[in-house]
Amino acid sequence: MKKYLIVCALALTLLLTACGGEQAAADTAEEAVKDHYYQILDADGRELYTVTDETAVAEIDALINDAGGENAAHGGAEGEPLYTYVYWQETTIRAGEDPDAEREYMEVFRTQVRADSNAVTTEVLSDTLENVGDAISVEGLGGLLTFSAEVSQETADALRDPAQFAGA
């Protein structure tokens, strides 16, 4: 799924650059390297862990990247989620803001893994899509990007063991 986000970000960068939006394109390029972390929720939506360790975050990134492969299909998978990985990312620095000031984080997407299948669902959150829509003057993008994919047994098993990321 993250591969799709990167492709969308690159396409947006090209579009904004072609339309004379060099600053907006630079801002979009910066989005790709913003600090982020994961919040891991249980099946009832209660927080289990907040993962900020760079190594653990990179491991989760790699697992979630596996979920965005060739077999991704639009829509959610069947079954109740066992765990949800919530991706939080730094907000954009606005004109006039101190770049060294503490930044806020916004929830960008959620990835769910199930107990009874290797299906993983990733949903780009409506607010994130609406912010993108505002930037490119397109309305109604909210709820558009929900994808599910079958991942390898190894990837699904790793996502079903969130405790491994908590101690890092």
Side-chain angles (χ1 to χ4, degrees):
M1 179 64 219
K2 198 167 183 184
K3 293 175 190 174
Y4 291 114
L5 292 175
I6 291 170
V7 170
C8 288
L10 291 174
L12 180 59
T13 300
L14 291 173
L15 174 66
L16 292 172
T17 302
C19 295
E22 289 83 8
Q23 181 58 46
D27 292 344
T28 303
E30 180 217 346
E31 297 282 334
V33 295
K34 287 183 180 179
D35 187 37
H36 66 282
Y37 69 91
Y38 287 92
Q39 178 184 33
I40 303 173
L41 310 176
D42 68 9
D44 295 322
R46 290 185 301 254
E47 181 177 329
L48 295 174
Y49 310 106
T50 298
V51 182
T52 57
D53 177 78
E54 287 182 28
T55 302
V57 167
E59 289 174 25
I60 297 171
D61 286 344
L63 292 168
I64 290 177
N65 280 339
D66 283 348
E70 305 273 331
N71 64 349
H74 187 67
E78 292 184 23
E80 293 298 314
L82 178 63
Y83 297 110
T84 301
Y85 289 77
V86 183
Y87 181 98
W88 290 86
Q89 177 179 288
E90 285 181 311
T91 57
T92 301
I93 297 174
R94 307 277 183 225
E97 289 182 346
D98 179 4
D100 296 326
E102 187 172 326
R103 308 250 306 267
E104 290 185 32
Y105 286 77
M106 71 182 258
E107 185 177 349
V108 177
F109 66 84
R110 290 176 173 235
T111 299
Q112 301 172 331
V113 62
R114 288 155 181 73
D116 56 353
S117 78
N118 290 348
V120 175
T121 300
T122 299
E123 174 186 12
V124 178
L125 299 178
S126 296
D127 289 347
T128 303
L129 287 175
E130 291 304 329
N131 289 339
V132 170
D134 290 346
I136 60 173
S137 300
V138 175
E139 293 183 22
L141 292 179
L144 178 66
L145 292 178
T146 299
F147 294 95
S148 294
E150 287 290 322
V151 296
S152 70
Q153 186 69 45
E154 179 181 272
T155 297
D157 287 345
L159 289 170
R160 284 191 280 260
D161 182 18
Q164 68 180 313
F165 307 114

